[in-house]
Amino acid sequence: MATDDLTLVKRVKTGDQRAFKLLVERYQRKIYAVALGMVKDKEEALDISQEAFVKVYKYLDHFKGDSSFYTWLYRITVNICIDALRKKQALRGEQVELDEAVKMDTAEANIGALGSRLGTNPQKSALRKELAEKIQQALETVPEKHRAILLLREVEGMSYEDLSRTLQIPKGTVMSRLFHARTKVQKILSEYLELDESKSGIGNE
Amino acid sequence: MALNPACQTFIPMLSPYVDGELTPQERVTVDHHLNVCRDCTGRVADLRAESGLIRHGLDLAADEVDFRDFAQKVMARLTPYKPPLMERVRISLSEMFLYQRATMVTSLVTAAVVLFVAVPTAVLWKGTPEGYARPQMMVSSVTVEKGAKVTPVVMTTDQGDAIIWMVSTEQASSQDGAQPSQEKAPDQDTGEVKKLDQTKPNGGEL
């Protein structure tokens, strides 16, 4: 049976570096997926993932074990991503997105468009590269913090309780942000699929 | 498309419904609504499809990355913790038992075998005279029975050592002058006897 996170953290604190390597190997893939969903660029996502682990190691003494290790790790990752996005926006002279002030487009997509075309198992529908890119584009339209919630929920499968702890927001906020993020992403994806269908007939089964 | 007023209450609940985050009571209420509302059933299907799509899309993107060196690169950027010396020794030992348990156990067993079997065997082997068993005997004196006629018999080994028997051939009835010379016989006989005296006693010698 694999050693649990907290035991490994204790070992790292006594100087056992191999224990930290085990933690890196355990979470590297998911941390990368979240970072990629947040910043879109592959190289940048890899750099951010590495930085997140380095930071976690550096501040390990601050981790008291009150919450799970992975919620702490994801919180650090999301914060690094948000910092990186804000730096980029500032460099481009764009107005920094104040999350709570963002007006959400809650207009609904064509109901059932995604479900009827993809079913519940997207693997069956042979996810194509363009569709994967479209997912990235759709994520980009969602405000950072809403995006973070959506990614943590979908990639890590975090419960609302864990999301609330990770992002240090009330559970009600988790619920509403997740709802808005999903509405937005759904709309873009179903529009893309409808357009795609009219071009090539995908989903006509 | 006009929104069904009944759906307005349920739409925000559909996302936590899909995530399994509703209370059992709320879940039952949503289930009842889904039984009668086609639109909300479609919305639930959309949520599930979207969820799978994002998960699978990012999974595919992560598949394209080679993570073999990732952990190594992270480790190279770390400044290791340096606990005090005694703590480091303790950690090294515990790490050895943790990560190389099999090797450690094998080494300890081998060391124990060497210590308790091989070493005593080697020591005992060296101390035992060739061809003879313990206990080792030392010659303290050589005497000849008074009046006996003694003839020395010398047996020389391939290693140059000599074994000498003094054979009493007959009981002298008369006191001839042989006795003194017989008593000295080993000394007069060959140099091998002297050699025997100089060497470590081999046991079993007269």
Side-chain angles (χ1 to χ4, degrees):
Chain A
M1 206 178 80
T3 315
D4 66 276
D5 291 354
L6 288 181
T7 309
L8 289 174
V9 168
K10 276 181 198 163
R11 280 195 214 149
V12 179
K13 282 182 177 178
T14 59
D16 181 358
Q17 281 203 299
R18 272 174 288 190
F20 190 71
K21 200 176 172 205
L22 290 176
L23 284 168
V24 174
E25 285 164 351
R26 184 172 292 178
Y27 287 107
Q28 58 191 14
R29 212 168 176 280
K30 284 183 174 179
I31 289 293
Y32 170 76
V34 170
L36 183 67
M38 289 293 289
V39 300
K40 202 179 163 190
D41 182 75
K42 289 177 184 175
E43 286 304 314
E44 194 180 1
L46 269 175
D47 286 345
I48 286 174
S49 312
Q50 281 188 21
E51 198 186 329
F53 284 112
V54 171
K55 213 167 181 175
V56 159
Y57 186 84
K58 194 176 168 188
Y59 294 105
L60 207 60
D61 281 337
H62 296 257
F63 176 69
K64 302 293 175 202
D66 306 331
S67 60
S68 342
F69 170 75
Y70 76 96
T71 59
W72 187 60
L73 170 64
Y74 281 112
R75 188 188 309 154
I76 287 174
T77 309
V78 167
N79 287 339
I80 296 174
C81 289
I82 290 174
D83 282 350
L85 288 169
R86 290 189 175 175
K87 268 182 204 161
K88 273 200 283 188
Q89 284 171 341
L91 277 176
R92 287 198 299 255
E94 290 172 15
Q95 199 181 354
V96 175
E97 216 175 43
L98 291 170
D99 191 61
E100 302 304 338
V102 170
K103 280 211 164 189
M104 290 301 301
D105 175 13
T106 50
E108 280 196 293
N110 188 1
I111 299 167
L114 272 180
S116 60
R117 280 163 185 81
L118 298 172
T120 50
N121 185 358
Q123 273 167 300
K124 273 189 198 165
S125 60
L127 190 69
R128 293 169 311 170
K129 206 180 171 196
E130 311 96 83
L131 187 53
E133 276 170 14
K134 203 69 198 172
I135 294 168
Q136 289 285 349
Q137 282 174 25
L139 285 171
E140 228 180 339
T141 63
V142 178
E144 302 147 5
K145 288 185 177 173
H146 292 72
R147 202 185 317 167
I149 289 193
L150 186 60
L151 289 166
L152 292 177
R153 172 67 211 173
E154 306 304 6
V155 173
E156 178 55 51
M158 265 191 203
S159 67
Y160 287 12
E161 192 67 48
D162 273 353
L163 285 169
S164 160
R165 277 199 210 108
T166 304
L167 302 167
Q168 293 169 317
I169 49 171
K171 215 171 154 183
T173 311
V174 168
M175 215 178 282
S176 71
R177 282 184 184 175
L178 201 49
F179 168 68
H180 287 307
R182 279 173 166 163
T183 309
K184 184 126 190 172
V185 171
Q186 242 179 56
K187 196 176 173 213
I188 292 169
L189 289 180
S190 54
E191 277 169 6
Y192 166 74
L193 283 173
E194 274 174 47
L195 188 72
D196 196 58
E197 188 182 325
S198 65
K199 276 196 296 186
S200 61
I202 274 194
N204 292 337
E205 288 163 22
Chain B
M1 194 174 70
L3 190 65
N4 178 355
C7 295
Q8 278 184 328
T9 328
F10 287 101
I11 288 174
M13 294 171 87
L14 297 181
S15 175
Y17 173 82
V18 169
D19 292 329
E21 293 278 351
L22 290 181
T23 62
Q25 205 176 357
E26 287 170 331
R27 197 167 180 84
V28 170
T29 317
V30 174
D31 277 333
H32 282 312
H33 176 70
L34 291 179
N35 284 337
V36 292
C37 181
R38 227 172 135 182
D39 281 352
C40 282
T41 309
R43 289 183 182 106
V44 167
D46 282 349
L47 282 169
R48 289 198 169 122
E50 181 223 1
S51 177
L53 206 56
I54 293 175
R55 190 165 44 246
H56 189 56
L58 289 170
D59 217 32
L60 282 183
D63 278 345
E64 288 173 12
V65 178
D66 184 1
F67 283 102
R68 271 177 298 183
D69 296 337
F70 184 89
Q72 211 53 50
K73 282 180 186 166
V74 171
M75 299 310 286
R77 287 176 61 183
L78 306 181
T79 313
Y81 283 105
K82 269 227 160 179
L85 181 66
M86 283 313 287
E87 184 66 8
R88 267 181 285 166
V89 171
R90 194 189 62 74
I91 292 164
S92 305
L93 288 173
S94 70
E95 277 181 29
M96 268 195 274
F97 276 101
L98 189 72
Y99 298 110
Q100 293 154 8
R101 194 172 292 159
T103 319
M104 283 298 292
V105 170
T106 315
S107 308
L108 286 175
V109 169
T110 311
V113 168
V114 167
L115 194 66
F116 294 109
V117 179
V119 170
T121 306
V123 169
L124 289 174
W125 184 264
K126 204 176 174 186
T128 309
E130 269 177 60
Y132 292 86
R134 287 192 148 208
Q136 197 170 309
M137 292 182 292
M138 299 288 286
V139 177
S140 58
S141 65
V142 177
T143 53
V144 176
E145 201 179 332
K146 202 175 176 185
K149 187 181 178 186
V150 176
T151 310
V153 174
V154 179
M155 179 189 279
T156 310
T157 68
D158 58 348
Q159 289 177 0
D161 293 331
I163 299 169
I164 305 164
W165 286 271
M166 303 303 275
V167 181
S168 176
T169 51
E170 62 181 60
Q171 193 78 23
S173 54
S174 63
Q175 294 289 328
D176 59 39
Q179 192 184 341
S181 67
Q182 281 163 349
E183 278 182 345
K184 285 180 187 171
D187 292 328
Q188 293 165 357
D189 211 25
T190 58
E192 288 161 349
V193 177
K194 285 175 186 166
K195 188 179 171 187
L196 183 69
D197 290 343
Q198 288 159 8
T199 56
K200 210 173 145 189
N202 276 348
E205 292 165 7
L206 187 69

